[in-house]
Amino acid sequence: MPEIFIHNKSDHPQAFEVHGWNHDLDITVKPHATSTLHGPDKSSGAIIAIHDGHEGEQAEATFDGFGGNDFIDISNIVGAGGNLTIQQQGDPSTRKGDPLFMQHLRAAWDKASQSTKDELKGSVFTDEKGHVERIGPIKDHPKLEHFIRSFADGKTYIGVGAWGGSPGNAQDNAQSSAAHGTKNLVITYSDQDAVPDEQPAHTAQRVLPSLGRVRMVEHTAAFVPHNKPDEEQEHPSGPGIDLHNESEKPGTYFFYDNYWNGNGTAGANFDHPLKSVHLAPRASAFVELPPTFKGRVQRGTLLPATWVEFQLDASNDHAAHGDVSLEQGCDGAATIASTDNDSSIHRAVVVGGFEKDILTHAPEKAVVKRQDGIKCLASTMGNWMAGPNEHAAAWEEQEVGQKKAYIKGGTGTDDVMSRNRRLKVVFF
């Protein structure tokens, strides 16, 4: 059964009318939190933002429609007071809606002539300073429709569309184009930019200056299994990760290169792993990676999961740097270590992360069951699936501590450095 993740990026609670799902019961999403609704196959419905008791922008969806595809759109025909987008989870190409609709509306209003403002009296509502707060139903005001099309045509559903014998507007009709199959949906509300968050907030705190946009490639890893004594290992000459599975179960480990890296920012990659490696219990492999790699390795592809974050050629010292993060959850212990064995380098940190089992006795409120049935500690920062879990954060602070792993952003977590551009990563 698909799910609908409704994320509120604003600083205030946001109320929504729900039609077609949740037994038609309205919801209120807390600031910077996410609510989840279930959307059965073949079901249709709408999520409508409420502003001062008035209906506004709405996300409309049909799951598993014609051709097995979802059909989604954002409509402003009953009003607007905020910004709203909808897309299939992990597929930005399916995104509908203008993420800055209200900003564009206010800019157009400020430029409008007095005669235009007089014509729109009663359908555009402003505060005492003349700033637009919301608009009424476009469907009831042809002149309002004309005004909205001046800046939002082709970005959102504005008119009543093709029905009842009317051909509708071609730009509006295009808003209801098919998505790609049927998947979970992400609806994002904001008073500012309603583009869905592409990364946990902490990612921007630890990335070094940009090396440019990172290409997205999907293929199986080229790796060297460790089936010889250490002194006989024949590693490739390039940078990479000495990967170890110290658990009792076989595992597949996925390497995610960031979508992009900027000056203090990064676009975390959730759907296009660069490489994957399958390891038997107690097995290891050397995974060769491009020196431009900046991202993470994790067990499997699902969240919550323990992230081992690293880059192999930092712009300031051309060394590899890494850490362990529990901000997007924990599915087991992990460590990251230097491999350069350079005794001339005086540094305090050569191993980061932890080996302790913190899942077995974790408080019930800190734990969630992942899609594959695995018990994990929930995200401490939140994402499109749910808001931050304070019980998980408190447990991890107690059992691990910020020095060994990032728990809720901030500073003070060990940075492991290796000048040979190789790091050892162990999953337990």
Side-chain angles (χ1 to χ4, degrees):
M1 177 186 296
E3 292 184 307
I4 307 166
F5 305 118
I6 306 168
H7 183 57
N8 176 15
K9 291 176 67 175
S10 77
D11 295 328
H12 59 81
Q14 179 59 47
F16 296 92
E17 284 184 8
V18 180
H19 298 279
W21 305 295
N22 200 44
H23 305 291
D24 290 336
L25 298 175
D26 297 348
I27 63 172
T28 297
V29 184
K30 295 179 180 179
H32 306 288
T34 302
S35 293
T36 303
L37 304 180
H38 300 294
D41 289 338
K42 308 295 184 182
S43 67
S44 297
I47 309 292
I48 308 174
I50 303 299
H51 304 283
D52 297 326
H54 300 274
E55 291 180 331
E57 60 282 0
Q58 60 181 303
E60 303 171 317
T62 295
F63 285 105
D64 192 18
F66 179 77
N69 298 308
D70 296 335
F71 288 80
I72 57 177
D73 66 72
I74 296 294
S75 171
N76 290 104
I77 63 174
V78 299
N83 301 322
L84 200 66
T85 60
I86 184 172
Q87 70 174 62
Q88 288 183 321
Q89 184 180 9
D91 191 349
S93 70
T94 63
R95 187 177 303 150
K96 302 289 183 65
D98 181 358
L100 294 172
F101 180 90
M102 291 301 294
Q103 283 75 6
H104 295 150
L105 168 61
R106 290 170 183 136
W109 181 257
D110 291 343
K111 295 177 182 178
S113 65
Q114 189 57 51
S115 61
T116 297
K117 292 180 178 179
D118 291 341
E119 290 175 342
L120 297 177
K121 186 177 181 180
S123 58
V124 177
F125 301 89
T126 63
D127 61 17
E128 63 278 4
K129 295 182 179 179
H131 300 310
V132 177
E133 291 187 325
R134 66 178 184 87
I135 59 173
I138 297 174
K139 62 185 179 67
D140 296 336
H141 297 85
K143 291 183 178 179
L144 177 60
E145 178 178 339
H146 178 76
F147 176 67
I148 298 301
R149 288 198 187 281
S150 70
F151 64 88
D153 202 26
K155 299 178 181 178
T156 178
Y157 225 110
I158 298 171
V160 294
W163 70 289
S166 170
N169 179 279
Q171 294 279 40
D172 289 348
N173 296 337
Q175 298 305 304
S176 293
S177 58
H180 305 150
T182 186
K183 302 176 183 176
N184 295 337
L185 298 180
V186 178
I187 297 172
T188 305
Y189 173 87
S190 180
D191 297 324
Q192 303 300 321
D193 190 341
V195 171
D197 292 328
E198 294 183 340
Q199 61 177 43
H202 76 271
T203 308
Q205 299 169 8
R206 297 197 291 277
V207 68
L208 291 175
S210 175
L211 291 178
R213 186 174 178 84
V214 179
R215 61 189 175 91
M216 291 181 289
V217 184
E218 254 185 296
H219 58 80
T220 303
F223 66 96
V224 178
H226 287 188
N227 52 10
K228 299 181 181 180
D230 288 344
E231 63 272 16
E232 297 181 21
Q233 293 302 320
E234 298 175 359
H235 289 174
S237 58
I241 296 297
D242 196 8
L243 182 66
H244 294 250
N245 174 15
E246 287 299 318
S247 74
E248 301 297 334
K249 299 179 180 179
T252 303
Y253 302 89
F254 288 80
F255 291 79
Y256 289 86
D257 206 350
N258 291 336
Y259 278 149
W260 51 267
N261 297 289
N263 187 12
T265 60
N269 178 353
F270 292 97
D271 52 3
H272 284 79
L274 177 69
K275 292 187 176 184
S276 64
V277 176
H278 184 80
L279 293 178
R282 308 296 179 184
S284 59
F286 181 79
V287 184
E288 190 171 17
L289 294 165
T292 55
F293 187 95
K294 290 184 180 182
R296 73 182 186 278
V297 58
Q298 68 173 75
R299 298 177 183 87
T301 60
L302 300 177
L303 293 180
T306 305
W307 284 12
V308 180
E309 307 170 312
F310 63 93
Q311 58 180 320
L312 296 173
D313 191 350
S315 59
N316 61 344
D317 61 5
H318 298 290
H321 291 261
D323 59 72
V324 172
S325 171
L326 304 179
E327 291 153 304
Q328 286 302 311
C330 174
D331 60 354
T335 60
I336 185 168
S338 170
T339 66
D340 56 19
N341 298 317
D342 188 346
S343 60
S344 67
I345 302 172
H346 299 288
R347 56 172 182 264
V349 180
V350 292
V351 180
F354 62 102
E355 300 181 16
K356 182 179 181 180
D357 172 16
I358 64 171
L359 286 169
T360 301
H361 301 293
E364 183 178 349
K365 292 183 177 180
V367 173
V368 294
K369 184 175 286 188
R370 206 165 56 188
Q371 289 173 270
D372 57 1
I374 299 297
K375 171 184 171 181
C376 305
L377 288 170
S379 170
T380 63
M381 300 291 286
N383 50 39
W384 60 89
M385 293 183 286
N389 187 306
E390 297 298 334
H391 300 283
W395 177 252
E396 290 164 4
E397 288 281 6
Q398 174 184 313
E399 298 299 310
V400 177
Q402 178 81 359
K403 187 177 186 331
K404 294 181 179 180
Y406 281 95
I407 295 173
K408 292 191 69 174
T411 59
T413 300
D414 289 339
D415 169 60
V416 176
M417 184 265 284
S418 195
R419 293 194 185 279
N420 62 3
R421 300 191 302 175
R422 300 184 180 195
L423 294 162
K424 179 181 179 180
V425 173
V426 181
F427 285 95
F428 296 89

